[in-house]
Amino acid sequence: MPVNTHVREPRRPPFDAEAARRHREALGMTPAHVAYGMAAAYGLRVPPATVAAWEAGESAPTDAELTALAGALWCAPGELLEAPGTLREYRLAQGLAADDLARRIGMDRRAYERLEDGGKWTGNDRQAAALGEVLQLPSAALVRFTGRDEKLTELLTSAVTTRWQAYVRPVGKLVAVPRERIQEVLQELHGEYQAGMAGTLNWGGGGGAGEAGEAGRAFLARILAEFWERIER
């Protein structure tokens, strides 16, 4: 009976090859110097050719190799990564192991690892705040990783379709954004939604309420993205 000898390829972080090359050249090092530094300080033996391949974009380091490479180049791991998008990538950017991060935010390690693998957030508000602080997460990322996107979308939908003033406080409980900024954005979104609905009804020709409904649904479908875009702007 054949034996399955397939070994799953380790996940590679979003490596910034050009940044690695710049850091090495700024230190006056060669790929061989970098490889020696990784072996001496971290016990990771990597051929100089592998370091050169990373810089050429032909391959990327593993999590452990990234940490060792950053140490050899005297920089933070995040300086060798492209913009993080996943929770794991934000963690790697801070140079933290999963168990270290779980301990710092007061969460069970297995529960945190399940979260990185796409599981649901099971922590409390204090742990969510600690996660955002330790990983220096943007507000939008923190809301997404802690499973509050759906709730925020519901609040934003109600805010633009009814009285936006009543939703400033509930939205503020979900997002780490100054109250004044939330007020500005909710008022702006509410005004655009209501104006768009009225404009479609008044000038929609034969479409009438049908066109208004379609325009309204299209606006609401992108309400979360619009909210964060305006908050960050």
Side-chain angles (χ1 to χ4, degrees), residues 5-226:
T5 58
H6 174 72
V7 178
R8 188 173 68 174
E9 176 72 14
R11 290 182 296 177
R12 308 275 173 167
F15 186 63
D16 189 335
E18 179 62 22
R21 183 189 62 79
R22 289 198 307 268
H23 276 283
R24 176 181 60 75
E25 292 180 346
L27 293 170
M29 301 172 69
T30 66
H33 292 145
V34 175
Y36 176 81
M38 293 174 65
Y42 293 88
L44 278 177
R45 300 191 177 280
V46 174
T50 298
V51 176
W54 292 340
E55 292 184 5
E58 298 171 357
S59 63
T62 63
D63 295 1
E65 290 168 343
L66 175 69
T67 299
L69 178 62
L73 295 177
W74 291 83
C75 67
E79 296 180 63
L80 302 180
L81 293 177
E82 297 175 351
T86 67
L87 182 58
R88 171 176 169 269
E89 291 166 5
Y90 276 102
R91 173 177 61 78
L92 292 175
Q94 296 299 321
L96 292 170
D99 55 345
D100 290 335
L101 176 58
R103 183 172 59 255
R104 291 180 64 173
I105 66 175
M107 177 177 280
D108 176 74
R109 176 181 59 82
R110 286 173 293 183
Y112 174 77
E113 290 175 343
R114 286 194 295 271
L115 182 64
E116 275 200 7
D117 288 334
K120 292 185 177 180
W121 170 256
T122 59
N124 53 39
D125 290 345
R126 180 186 59 78
Q127 291 169 327
L131 180 70
E133 181 178 355
V134 173
L135 295 186
Q136 301 180 25
L137 295 176
S139 294
L142 179 59
V143 170
R144 174 160 52 93
F145 295 144
T146 52
R148 293 178 287 179
D149 266 358
E150 183 176 351
K151 179 62 176 177
L152 179 56
T153 300
E154 292 176 0
L155 292 175
L156 295 176
T157 299
S158 297
V160 301
T161 55
T162 59
R163 293 182 65 256
W164 65 267
Q165 296 90 338
Y167 293 90
V168 174
R169 185 175 181 183
V171 170
K173 289 183 177 181
L174 290 184
V175 304
V177 176
R179 179 185 178 90
E180 294 76 12
R181 186 64 186 139
I182 293 175
Q183 289 176 327
E184 292 173 1
V185 172
L186 290 188
Q187 184 175 13
E188 185 178 305
L189 289 171
H190 179 273
E192 289 188 18
Y193 175 80
Q194 297 297 333
M197 293 291 285
T200 304
L201 285 171
N202 292 335
W203 303 101
E211 286 190 10
E214 184 177 348
R217 285 190 293 272
F219 187 94
L220 295 178
R222 62 178 188 275
I223 189 70
L224 185 63
E226 286 286 341

